[in-house]
């Protein structure tokens, strides 16, 4: 009898890990977000390396322990016969880049088997106390690491609402430059300064524009520090140098998504960004959430690409694909919370300062970004990260950074964000913690989340 196909997104699935079955969990068995973490007691300062894992409920699971226990033998999609499945999967590495480069069919087969192992009626791990003790840990008892090696990082500018608002600040009569609707705009970021959620962010130091009446630029700690709410996309299989990824292939190269805070020093940025663009104003830190919510987990929450306004140009052929237009977007609700030092001392909860579903309105899809990024022959490596750029919706409560949230129109003074306890913010102060959160929900499917992308601003170094 043929084995019944397992649907890892089936909303009726339950896990023997009870915390994955609660109504408010971000990590039900339908999510299976991947991550890398240090096992309890492991100290990176002493040379310990992280292990590849999966988040489910309030637990994280060491995937290499499960592979070593032969729970993934005989997977469909293994590229050659008599292969060592542990070597093929690459989950013995300290990050998920080797796993990401596997063909999509193998990654899907692995996720389906993992779902079966964690299902409420599967005994292999559930009823093996020794394996559970070696592999299953409380998520709040481990430290996380960036999930891939991220040899390269590129940040785009794909939100038309963000681009229009910011453009209006500086060019009220011409907010969008002529190329915006033709080409996905982006810049190469700095992967060496990408940090995982929870790591503190040091206020950067740099040059700022000369004060009125002065000719010499200022120098010192950034005064206009900002966050940027973004969604990141991890690349699966890479491409060889000189060989573009077509728009039709690009969908299969999405390993999964995460949350990104592209911290921005606005005063440094204003002085340095012309004529070549961001440099020190961006490279001091970028925070990523610990988890990769896989493309397969996100399939139920795909949506149509942004519907362009009448009169907008159609994408050039290399950026145009009917399937991508039909379901190349993702419907994600994104929230930004701010917690000040005063709020922490008073025991107040973080305050939500923006919320919205603006990600489904991005002008460019991730597949279009991938196709454009590689059309000149640029090569991706598995595990590379691209980010969407600031995600903003059409309304003032859906803006993805303080630069936008505090802007009240041309010629008007900035309108500070008001916080509990009477505090106000136009830009971030030392001690402020920015928390990004995101989730997907749709009738007929289990709600899934992305976890937190959190960072606290520390004073500038000396």
């Amino acid at each position: 009898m043929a084995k019944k196909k397992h649907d890892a997104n089936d909303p009726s699935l339950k896990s023997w890990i009870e915390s994955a079955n609660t109504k408010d969990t971000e990590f039900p068995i339908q999510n299976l977000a991947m991550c890398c973490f240090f096992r309890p007691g492991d100290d990176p300062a002493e040379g310990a390396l992280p292990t590849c894992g999966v988040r489910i409920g309030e637990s994280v699971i060491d995937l290499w322990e499960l592979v070593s226990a032969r729970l993934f033998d005989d997977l469909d999609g293994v590229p050659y016969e008599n292969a060592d499945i542990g070597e093929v999967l690459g989950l013995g590495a300290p990050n998920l880049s080797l796993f990401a480069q596997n063909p999509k069919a193998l990654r899907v087969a692995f996720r389906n088997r993992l779902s079966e192992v964690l299902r409420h009626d599967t005994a292999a791990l559930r009823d093996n106390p020794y394996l559970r003790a070696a592999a299953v840990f409380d998520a709040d008892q481990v430290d996380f690491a960036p999930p891939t090696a991220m040899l390269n990082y590129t940040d785009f500018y794909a939100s038309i609402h963000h681009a229009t608002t910011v453009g209006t600040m500086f060019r009220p009569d011409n907010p969008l430059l002529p190329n915006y609707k033709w080409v996905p705009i982006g810049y190469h970021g700095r992967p060496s300064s990408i940090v995982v959620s929870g790591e503190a962010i040091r206020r950067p130091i740099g040059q700022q524009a000369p004060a009125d009446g002065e000719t010499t630029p200022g120098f010192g700690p950034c005064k206009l520090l900002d966050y940027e709410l973004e969604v990141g996309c991890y690349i699966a299989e890479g491409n060889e140098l000189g060989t573009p990824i077509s728009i039709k292939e690009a969908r299969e190269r999405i390993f999964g998504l995460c949350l990104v805070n592209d911290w921005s020093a606005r005063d440094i940025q204003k002085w340095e960004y012309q004529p070549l663009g961001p440099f020190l104003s961006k490279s001091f830190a970028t925070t990523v959430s610990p988890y990769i919510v896989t493309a397969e987990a996100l399939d139920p929450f795909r949506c149509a690409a942004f519907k362009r306004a009448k009169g907008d140009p159609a994408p050039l052929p290399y950026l145009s694909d009917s399937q991508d237009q039909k379901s190349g977007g993702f419907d994600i609700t994104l929230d930004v919370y701010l917690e000040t030092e005063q709020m922490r001392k008073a025991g107040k909860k973080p305050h939500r300062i923006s919320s919205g579903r603006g990600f489904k309105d991005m002008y460019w899809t991730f597949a279009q970004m991938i196709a454009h990024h590689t059309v000149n022959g640029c090569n991706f490596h598995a595990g590379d990260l691209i980010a969407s750029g600031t995600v903003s919706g059409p309304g003032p409560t859906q803006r993805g950074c303080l630069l936008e949230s505090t802007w009240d129109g041309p010629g008007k003074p900035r309108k500070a964000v008001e916080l509990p306890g009477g505090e106000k913010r136009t830009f971030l102060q030392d001690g402020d913690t920015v928390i990004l959160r995101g989730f997907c929900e749709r009738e007929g499917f289990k709600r899934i989340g992305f976890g937190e992308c959190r960072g606290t601003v520390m004073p500038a170094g000396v």
Side-chain angles (χ1 to χ4, degrees):
M1 181 180 294
K3 185 178 179 181
K4 183 179 179 182
K5 185 177 180 180
H6 181 76
D7 180 7
N9 292 330
D10 182 346
S12 68
L13 292 180
K14 301 290 183 182
S15 175
W16 50 265
I17 295 179
E18 290 299 330
S19 60
N21 304 324
T22 61
K23 183 179 179 181
D24 60 349
T25 183
E26 291 189 82
F27 301 102
I29 193 172
Q30 292 81 2
N31 191 341
L32 300 181
M34 302 188 77
C35 61
C36 290
F37 67 95
F38 293 94
R39 295 165 59 98
D42 284 355
D43 186 353
E46 296 179 357
L49 296 175
T51 188
C52 296
V54 66
R55 174 73 185 261
I56 178 167
E58 298 305 312
S59 299
V60 290
I61 297 177
D62 185 333
L63 292 175
W64 183 246
E65 291 288 344
L66 306 193
V67 171
S68 300
R70 313 298 297 251
L71 298 187
F72 294 94
D73 286 2
D74 303 320
L75 278 183
D76 294 333
V78 175
Y80 47 92
E81 294 183 5
N82 301 319
D84 180 277
I85 191 63
E87 182 178 338
V88 170
L89 290 173
L91 292 172
N95 59 68
L96 289 160
S97 290
L98 287 178
F99 177 80
Q101 74 181 9
N102 282 305
K104 182 179 177 68
L106 182 56
R107 289 184 279 114
V108 170
F110 173 83
R111 179 172 180 263
N112 288 341
R113 179 70 60 82
L114 180 61
S115 176
E116 292 175 336
V117 168
L118 296 173
R119 200 171 63 191
H120 76 284
D121 56 355
T122 303
L125 178 58
R126 182 195 67 190
D127 295 347
N128 186 333
Y130 302 104
L131 183 55
R132 286 203 322 272
V136 183
F137 306 97
D138 291 339
D140 61 1
Q141 298 299 311
V142 304
D143 293 322
F144 291 93
T148 71
M150 283 178 283
L151 296 176
N152 301 288
Y153 163 54
T154 303
D155 196 23
F156 282 87
Y157 193 56
S159 169
I160 192 167
H161 299 303
H162 171 68
T164 300
T165 301
V166 173
T168 302
M169 294 179 194
F170 304 107
R171 300 179 302 275
D173 299 326
N174 186 31
L176 293 179
L177 296 175
N179 64 346
Y180 186 84
K181 295 182 178 181
W182 290 99
V183 57
I185 302 297
Y187 73 92
H188 291 287
R190 184 75 184 176
S192 64
S193 53
I194 292 178
V195 298
V196 75
S197 177
E199 290 197 32
I201 303 301
R202 181 73 64 181
R203 182 178 293 273
I205 295 172
Q207 290 190 31
Q208 295 113 38
D212 290 344
E214 299 291 331
T215 57
T216 302
F219 179 78
C222 164
K223 302 179 183 67
L224 308 181
L225 185 62
D226 203 354
Y227 63 85
E228 289 192 357
L229 167 66
E230 305 194 15
V231 174
C233 172
Y234 287 100
I235 301 299
E237 298 172 77
N239 60 302
E240 293 185 5
L241 183 66
T243 305
I245 298 173
S246 74
I247 184 68
K248 293 183 181 298
E249 298 173 308
R251 184 187 185 104
E252 304 301 304
R253 305 302 179 98
I254 297 175
F255 178 26
L257 306 186
C258 69
L259 303 180
V260 174
N261 185 345
D262 186 39
W263 303 90
S264 297
R266 300 297 186 192
D267 43 359
I268 298 174
Q269 183 179 12
K270 180 181 178 181
W271 178 236
E272 73 176 5
Y273 86 103
Q274 297 186 64
L276 288 180
F279 184 32
L280 300 186
S281 58
K282 298 280 191 176
S283 62
F284 62 97
T286 300
T287 302
V288 296
S289 53
Y291 308 107
I292 300 176
V293 180
T294 64
E296 293 71 43
L298 289 164
D299 273 344
F301 310 103
R302 283 187 170 271
C303 61
F306 179 70
K307 185 176 181 180
R308 297 188 170 204
K310 186 177 180 179
D312 280 8
L316 292 178
Y318 81 98
L319 296 172
S320 183
D321 174 66
S322 59
Q323 183 65 24
D324 188 55
Q325 288 300 300
K326 182 180 178 180
S327 59
F330 295 92
D331 190 356
I332 306 172
T333 298
L334 297 167
D335 298 330
V336 180
Y337 293 79
L338 184 61
E339 178 189 69
T340 69
E341 192 168 8
Q342 179 177 308
M343 290 166 64
R344 280 194 296 276
K345 290 179 179 178
K348 295 183 181 295
K349 294 182 180 180
H351 180 69
R352 189 171 66 184
I353 58 177
S354 73
S355 179
R357 296 167 64 191
F359 193 68
K360 64 184 178 63
D361 292 333
M362 302 301 278
Y363 202 76
W364 301 100
T365 68
F366 274 131
Q368 288 173 316
M369 296 180 216
I370 292 169
H372 179 69
H373 201 309
T374 63
V375 73
N376 69 341
C378 178
N379 56 323
F380 276 129
H381 295 96
D384 283 352
L385 179 67
I386 63 175
S388 62
T390 303
V391 180
S392 294
T397 62
Q398 302 176 49
R399 293 175 173 174
C401 61
L402 288 173
L403 180 69
E404 287 183 84
S405 296
T406 60
W407 188 70
D408 203 27
K412 296 181 180 180
R414 290 201 168 271
K415 185 178 180 179
V417 173
E418 297 186 1
L419 302 169
E423 290 185 278
K424 297 181 179 181
R425 290 291 187 274
T426 51
F427 289 98
L428 298 172
Q429 296 184 13
D430 293 346
D432 287 351
T433 298
V434 177
I435 306 161
L436 312 182
R437 294 174 182 160
F439 64 88
C440 297
E441 58 183 357
R442 178 185 169 193
E443 187 175 354
F445 293 93
K446 198 74 171 180
R447 180 183 186 272
I448 65 173
F450 287 77
E452 288 188 347
C453 181
R454 172 189 289 257
T456 300
V457 178
M458 304 299 288
V462 294

